[in-house]
C-alpha cells in the first residue's frame, strides 16, 4: 500500500549524534497523519498522532511515551474515539510530566478545536471542545503550549469572518482536567 504512512521518532543528546529512527506504530493497515512531539525537563519524550483505517474516514488520536533511556510505550487512545477526521495535532508537557493535547476535528463540514489532559501517571481525561463557534466556521492549525506550573495555552486560526483571526484559549492548572468550566475562550488577538 503505497499511500500508507508511518510515524518515526528519533532523538539526539546535546552535542551528540542521532540515535536512529524508531517506528512508533507497527501495524501497516492504518493511515497516519497529523503528528507532534514534546520533551519534558527530565528528557522524557511524548508523541501524539491521528490515524484512521481508511483515507478520509473517522480517525483516532493516539499517544505514546518514551522515558529517558527506555522504549516507547504501547500507543494509547487520547480520550474516547470521536467521529470525524482529526488534524492539526499538538502536544505539550509541563514541568511535572503532565501532557496536554489539542487538535482540530472535521465532522459534517464543520471544524472545531478540542483539548484533552493526561496526568503524568494516569489516563487521558475527557475531551473538551475549546472554540466557541456555533455556526460551523472553519477552525484549524491548532497548537498548544504548557508552562512549568501546568497552565495550558492553545492557539488556532478562526475563519468566522472573511479573513482568519488567531483565537486563544487556556486552562489554568486548577481546572486542566477537561472540565468545560476550566476553559476560557477568546478571539481578540486579531
Amino acid at each position: 500500500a503505497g499511500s500508507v504512512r508511518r510515524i518515526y521518532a528519533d532523538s539526539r543528546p546535546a552535542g551528540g549524534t542521532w540515535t536512529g529512527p524508531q517506528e512508533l506504530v507497527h501495524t501497516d493497515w492504518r493511515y497516519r497523519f497529523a503528528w507532534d512531539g514534546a520533551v519534558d525537563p527530565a528528557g522524557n519524550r511524548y508523541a501524539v498522532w491521528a490515524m484512521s483505517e481508511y483515507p478520509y474516514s473517522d480517525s483516532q488520536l493516539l499517544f505514546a511515551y518514551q522515558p529517558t533511556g527506555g522504549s516507547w510505550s504501547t500507543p494509547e487512545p487520547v480520550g474516547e474515539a470521536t467521529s470525524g477526521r482529526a488534524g492539526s495535532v499538538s502536544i505539550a508537557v509541563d514541568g511535572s510530566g503532565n501532557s496536554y493535547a489539542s487538535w482540530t476535528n472535521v465532522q459534517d463540514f464543520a471544524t472545531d478545536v478540542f483539548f484533552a489532559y493526561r496526568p503524568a501517571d494516569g489516563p487521558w481525561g475527557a475531551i473538551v471542545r475549546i472554540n466557541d463557534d456555533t455556526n460551523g466556521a472553519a477552525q484549524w492549525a491548532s497548537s498548544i503550549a504548557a508552562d512549568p506550573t501546568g497552565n495550558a495555552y492553545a492557539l488556532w486560526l478562526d475563519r468566522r469572518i472573511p479573513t482568519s483571526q488567531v483565537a486563544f484559549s487556556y486552562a489554568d492548572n486548577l481546572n486542566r482536567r477537561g472540565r468545560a468550566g476550566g476553559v476560557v475562550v477568546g478571539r481578540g488577538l486579531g
Side-chain angles (χ1 to χ4, degrees), residues 120-177:
D121 294 320
W124 284 95
I127 294 173
V128 176
R129 183 173 68 98
I130 59 175
N131 64 292
D132 64 353
D133 173 45
T134 58
N135 296 320
Q139 318 288 319
W140 72 94
S142 69
S143 182
I144 196 161
D147 66 27
T149 64
N151 297 305
Y153 308 90
L155 293 170
W156 64 93
L157 293 175
D158 183 328
R159 183 81 184 210
R160 277 185 253 188
I161 61 173
T163 58
S164 297
Q165 290 188 337
V166 175
F168 173 79
S169 182
Y170 78 93
D172 64 43
N173 63 359
L174 299 175
N175 295 308
R176 62 185 173 212
R177 288 172 177 77

Side-chain angles (χ1 to χ4, degrees), residues 52-135:
S52 64
E53 188 168 353
Y54 304 102
Y56 308 107
S57 64
D58 289 351
S59 59
Q60 174 72 53
L61 225 59
L62 293 173
F63 165 84
Y65 163 80
Q66 183 187 33
T68 301
S71 299
W72 283 97
S73 66
T74 301
E76 64 183 77
V78 175
E80 297 291 320
T82 59
S83 58
R85 183 178 168 121
S88 300
V89 175
S90 183
I91 189 169
V93 182
D94 67 22
S96 299
N98 301 310
S99 302
Y100 307 82
S102 73
W103 65 96
T104 56
N105 192 63
V106 179
Q107 183 179 6
D108 299 327
F109 303 103
T111 307
D112 290 307
V113 182
F114 293 89
F115 165 85
Y117 163 77
R118 179 184 184 272
D121 294 320
W124 284 95
I127 294 173
V128 176
R129 183 173 68 98
I130 59 175
N131 64 292
D132 64 353
D133 173 45
T134 58
N135 296 320

